């Protein structure tokens, strides 16, 4: 079973990207609910952004956490 790639986060643009074709990106800010990524994510200094990529039929990779400086 293929494994999704890890999403990358561009803090300056608030942009999430994943190389796995057809994958969706889920994220949550601090301790908030999981959301489906559909546009830029606004973060502030001290925020914690947790992300993961999901594609049906593929194995999920562990979530990655970004701490905003």
């Amino acid at each position: 079973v293929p494994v999704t790639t890890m999403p990358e986060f561009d803090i300056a643009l608030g942009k999430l990207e994943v190389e796995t074709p057809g994958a969706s990106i889920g994220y949550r800010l601090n301790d908030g609910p999981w959301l489906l990524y559909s546009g830029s994510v606004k973060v502030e200094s001290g925020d914690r952004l947790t992300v993961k990529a999901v594609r049906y039929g593929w194995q999920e990779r562990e979530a990655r956490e970004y701490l905003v400086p």
Side-chain angles (χ1 to χ4, degrees), residues 28-63:
R28 71 177 182 173
L29 190 57
N30 300 312
D31 292 322
W34 281 96
L35 301 169
L36 179 63
Y37 175 73
S38 62
S40 64
V41 178
K42 295 179 182 175
V43 295
E44 297 180 3
S45 180
D47 280 344
R48 184 179 71 249
L49 182 72
T50 308
V51 300
K52 66 179 175 178
V54 179
R55 179 176 171 175
Y56 287 109
W58 291 47
Q59 183 177 341
E60 288 183 29
R61 187 176 295 272
E62 292 180 16

Side-chain angles (χ1 to χ4, degrees), residues 13-30:
L13 298 176
K15 186 175 181 181
L16 288 164
E17 293 184 330
V18 65
E19 291 182 7
T20 303
S24 297
I25 301 173
Y27 74 95
R28 71 177 182 173
L29 190 57
N30 300 312

